[in-house]
Amino acid sequence: MNYQKKIEKLATVFNVAKADLEYLLAHEGTPGTTELLAAPATFDYFGSLAEHECHMARLAEVADAESLINACIALRDCGYADPTVVEKVNDAARIVGDHNLLDAIEGINEQDALLDTILNGYGFGGQHMMVLQMDGTLMARVPSRMLGVAA
């Protein structure tokens, strides 16, 4: 079975979003794709290195505050600890060029604190959650209190 068919099959098994699947298909041989191909049936894609790689790729494409917020939410929710996140998030924040944000995050060297500071600065810290369809076609920020009502 070729790489594409294997990844597509695993994406179905592990509920990989369509946007993540596109990244995984285009990046054969990365540590995350290797992890995914060798994953046991009990593997949890969410919080994995493969998911983290997908979010880091989005972070590298940040062009505005909206894309920075989306990348930070995804990285926060993934929860994969990576020492390179701080530098790459700071680089993305410089691209956005929000001087208030840059002043607020100056000197923060811890991944969770940095992501939380950015999200709180834009009004998306702990108050909102991202909601995605499993195929990645719908994305919305929903206030956490509304998720509690719907449950």
PDB file of all heavy atoms in Angstrom, residues 116-129:
ATOM      1  N   ASP A 116      -1.080  31.734  26.020  1.00  0.00           N
ATOM      2  CA  ASP A 116      -2.158  32.315  26.833  1.00  0.00           C
ATOM      3  C   ASP A 116      -2.127  33.840  26.792  1.00  0.00           C
ATOM      4  O   ASP A 116      -3.169  34.488  26.721  1.00  0.00           O
ATOM      5  CB  ASP A 116      -2.078  31.828  28.280  1.00  0.00           C
ATOM      6  CG  ASP A 116      -2.496  30.373  28.426  1.00  0.00           C
ATOM      7  OD1 ASP A 116      -3.146  29.838  27.494  1.00  0.00           O
ATOM      8  OD2 ASP A 116      -2.169  29.766  29.458  1.00  0.00           O
ATOM      9  N   THR A 117      -0.936  34.431  26.837  1.00  0.00           N
ATOM     10  CA  THR A 117      -0.819  35.889  26.799  1.00  0.00           C
ATOM     11  C   THR A 117      -1.338  36.441  25.470  1.00  0.00           C
ATOM     12  O   THR A 117      -2.073  37.434  25.447  1.00  0.00           O
ATOM     13  CB  THR A 117       0.647  36.323  27.021  1.00  0.00           C
ATOM     14  OG1 THR A 117       1.077  35.844  28.302  1.00  0.00           O
ATOM     15  CG2 THR A 117       0.789  37.832  26.973  1.00  0.00           C
ATOM     16  N   ILE A 118      -0.977  35.804  24.371  1.00  0.00           N
ATOM     17  CA  ILE A 118      -1.454  36.249  23.061  1.00  0.00           C
ATOM     18  C   ILE A 118      -2.975  36.120  22.985  1.00  0.00           C
ATOM     19  O   ILE A 118      -3.667  37.059  22.584  1.00  0.00           O
ATOM     20  CB  ILE A 118      -0.784  35.462  21.923  1.00  0.00           C
ATOM     21  CG1 ILE A 118       0.698  35.843  21.846  1.00  0.00           C
ATOM     22  CG2 ILE A 118      -1.483  35.705  20.586  1.00  0.00           C
ATOM     23  CD1 ILE A 118       1.522  34.971  20.925  1.00  0.00           C
ATOM     24  N   LEU A 119      -3.484  34.974  23.374  1.00  0.00           N
ATOM     25  CA  LEU A 119      -4.931  34.749  23.284  1.00  0.00           C
ATOM     26  C   LEU A 119      -5.708  35.662  24.223  1.00  0.00           C
ATOM     27  O   LEU A 119      -6.761  36.186  23.850  1.00  0.00           O
ATOM     28  CB  LEU A 119      -5.252  33.276  23.526  1.00  0.00           C
ATOM     29  CG  LEU A 119      -4.716  32.342  22.435  1.00  0.00           C
ATOM     30  CD1 LEU A 119      -4.909  30.897  22.822  1.00  0.00           C
ATOM     31  CD2 LEU A 119      -5.349  32.658  21.098  1.00  0.00           C
ATOM     32  N   ASN A 120      -5.192  35.896  25.411  1.00  0.00           N
ATOM     33  CA  ASN A 120      -5.857  36.836  26.326  1.00  0.00           C
ATOM     34  C   ASN A 120      -5.803  38.250  25.767  1.00  0.00           C
ATOM     35  O   ASN A 120      -6.771  39.001  25.878  1.00  0.00           O
ATOM     36  CB  ASN A 120      -5.217  36.788  27.712  1.00  0.00           C
ATOM     37  CG  ASN A 120      -5.637  35.578  28.500  1.00  0.00           C
ATOM     38  OD1 ASN A 120      -6.779  35.130  28.413  1.00  0.00           O
ATOM     39  ND2 ASN A 120      -4.721  35.027  29.279  1.00  0.00           N
ATOM     40  N   GLY A 121      -4.693  38.628  25.149  1.00  0.00           N
ATOM     41  CA  GLY A 121      -4.548  39.964  24.568  1.00  0.00           C
ATOM     42  C   GLY A 121      -5.561  40.233  23.464  1.00  0.00           C
ATOM     43  O   GLY A 121      -6.024  41.359  23.291  1.00  0.00           O
ATOM     44  N   TYR A 122      -5.912  39.198  22.733  1.00  0.00           N
ATOM     45  CA  TYR A 122      -6.901  39.340  21.662  1.00  0.00           C
ATOM     46  C   TYR A 122      -8.309  38.948  22.112  1.00  0.00           C
ATOM     47  O   TYR A 122      -9.227  38.896  21.301  1.00  0.00           O
ATOM     48  CB  TYR A 122      -6.501  38.507  20.433  1.00  0.00           C
ATOM     49  CG  TYR A 122      -5.421  39.165  19.610  1.00  0.00           C
ATOM     50  CD1 TYR A 122      -4.162  38.594  19.495  1.00  0.00           C
ATOM     51  CD2 TYR A 122      -5.664  40.353  18.931  1.00  0.00           C
ATOM     52  CE1 TYR A 122      -3.170  39.191  18.726  1.00  0.00           C
ATOM     53  CE2 TYR A 122      -4.670  40.958  18.163  1.00  0.00           C
ATOM     54  CZ  TYR A 122      -3.436  40.367  18.061  1.00  0.00           C
ATOM     55  OH  TYR A 122      -2.456  40.967  17.300  1.00  0.00           O
ATOM     56  N   GLY A 123      -8.470  38.648  23.393  1.00  0.00           N
ATOM     57  CA  GLY A 123      -9.795  38.313  23.918  1.00  0.00           C
ATOM     58  C   GLY A 123     -10.222  36.874  23.705  1.00  0.00           C
ATOM     59  O   GLY A 123     -11.401  36.563  23.801  1.00  0.00           O
ATOM     60  N   PHE A 124      -9.261  35.984  23.453  1.00  0.00           N
ATOM     61  CA  PHE A 124      -9.612  34.589  23.224  1.00  0.00           C
ATOM     62  C   PHE A 124      -8.972  33.640  24.224  1.00  0.00           C
ATOM     63  O   PHE A 124      -8.959  32.442  24.012  1.00  0.00           O
ATOM     64  CB  PHE A 124      -9.218  34.162  21.800  1.00  0.00           C
ATOM     65  CG  PHE A 124     -10.054  34.835  20.768  1.00  0.00           C
ATOM     66  CD1 PHE A 124      -9.575  35.928  20.074  1.00  0.00           C
ATOM     67  CD2 PHE A 124     -11.339  34.398  20.509  1.00  0.00           C
ATOM     68  CE1 PHE A 124     -10.347  36.568  19.126  1.00  0.00           C
ATOM     69  CE2 PHE A 124     -12.129  35.035  19.567  1.00  0.00           C
ATOM     70  CZ  PHE A 124     -11.631  36.118  18.874  1.00  0.00           C
ATOM     71  N   GLY A 125      -8.464  34.151  25.321  1.00  0.00           N
ATOM     72  CA  GLY A 125      -7.925  33.275  26.340  1.00  0.00           C
ATOM     73  C   GLY A 125      -9.046  32.553  27.022  1.00  0.00           C
ATOM     74  O   GLY A 125     -10.142  32.922  26.970  1.00  0.00           O
ATOM     75  N   GLY A 126      -8.961  31.459  27.575  1.00  0.00           N
ATOM     76  CA  GLY A 126      -9.883  30.550  28.207  1.00  0.00           C
ATOM     77  C   GLY A 126     -11.365  30.801  28.007  1.00  0.00           C
ATOM     78  O   GLY A 126     -12.154  30.059  28.518  1.00  0.00           O
ATOM     79  N   GLN A 127     -11.761  31.842  27.313  1.00  0.00           N
ATOM     80  CA  GLN A 127     -13.179  32.163  27.183  1.00  0.00           C
ATOM     81  C   GLN A 127     -13.816  31.513  25.964  1.00  0.00           C
ATOM     82  O   GLN A 127     -15.025  31.379  25.898  1.00  0.00           O
ATOM     83  CB  GLN A 127     -13.355  33.676  27.049  1.00  0.00           C
ATOM     84  CG  GLN A 127     -12.810  34.440  28.219  1.00  0.00           C
ATOM     85  CD  GLN A 127     -12.794  35.926  27.926  1.00  0.00           C
ATOM     86  OE1 GLN A 127     -13.358  36.383  26.950  1.00  0.00           O
ATOM     87  NE2 GLN A 127     -12.132  36.681  28.780  1.00  0.00           N
ATOM     88  N   HIS A 128     -13.049  31.119  24.988  1.00  0.00           N
ATOM     89  CA  HIS A 128     -13.582  30.573  23.748  1.00  0.00           C
ATOM     90  C   HIS A 128     -12.895  29.256  23.419  1.00  0.00           C
ATOM     91  O   HIS A 128     -11.761  29.022  23.797  1.00  0.00           O
ATOM     92  CB  HIS A 128     -13.353  31.536  22.582  1.00  0.00           C
ATOM     93  CG  HIS A 128     -14.081  32.824  22.724  1.00  0.00           C
ATOM     94  ND1 HIS A 128     -13.673  33.815  23.590  1.00  0.00           N
ATOM     95  CD2 HIS A 128     -15.201  33.289  22.132  1.00  0.00           C
ATOM     96  CE1 HIS A 128     -14.508  34.833  23.511  1.00  0.00           C
ATOM     97  NE2 HIS A 128     -15.436  34.545  22.628  1.00  0.00           N
ATOM     98  N   MET A 129     -13.591  28.422  22.725  1.00  0.00           N
ATOM     99  CA  MET A 129     -13.038  27.160  22.244  1.00  0.00           C
ATOM    100  C   MET A 129     -13.244  27.105  20.734  1.00  0.00           C
ATOM    101  O   MET A 129     -14.216  27.638  20.218  1.00  0.00           O
ATOM    102  CB  MET A 129     -13.747  25.959  22.889  1.00  0.00           C
ATOM    103  CG  MET A 129     -13.614  25.907  24.403  1.00  0.00           C
ATOM    104  SD  MET A 129     -11.924  25.629  24.964  1.00  0.00           S
ATOM    105  CE  MET A 129     -11.662  23.971  24.407  1.00  0.00           C
TER     106      MET A 129
END
